[in-house]
Amino acid sequence: AALDQLPEKNRRVLRGYYFENLSLEEIGEQLGLSKSWVCRVHARSLDLLREAMAQIGALPVAFLVIAIGISLG
């Protein structure tokens, strides 16, 4: 999966935020980073994930459903 292609820190930020419902502050505490730094990592992680999804030819909707866990129904 595209998420597995990301560096560990980036995966942990996205999984924590989107799948474990952690705040950026909580993720920062776990990783030993400030909230503002986690915010930067989060933004970069989404960019990297979009690039990874594009490389495998995934559609934008698939990016939302698979990568972020948004339900369509």
Side-chain angles (χ1 to χ4, degrees):
L3 187 61
D4 295 329
Q5 296 177 20
L6 302 183
E8 177 65 22
K9 184 188 326 180
N10 300 83
R11 286 194 312 263
R12 289 179 67 186
V13 169
L14 292 181
R15 284 186 180 135
Y17 192 76
Y18 292 105
F19 297 109
E20 299 170 16
N21 297 314
L22 298 175
S23 68
L24 296 177
E25 187 172 349
E26 291 169 322
I27 295 166
E29 289 172 5
Q30 289 182 0
L31 298 177
L33 303 171
S34 69
K35 178 182 175 182
S36 63
W37 192 254
V38 173
C39 184
R40 290 183 193 119
V41 173
H42 175 261
R44 180 66 181 140
S45 299
L46 290 177
D47 289 340
L48 291 171
L49 190 57
R50 283 185 198 100
E51 291 171 14
M53 296 292 286
Q55 287 180 355
I56 62 173
L59 301 173
V61 172
F63 167 76
L64 293 173
V65 174
I66 296 168
I68 301 179
I70 295 175
S71 172
L72 294 178

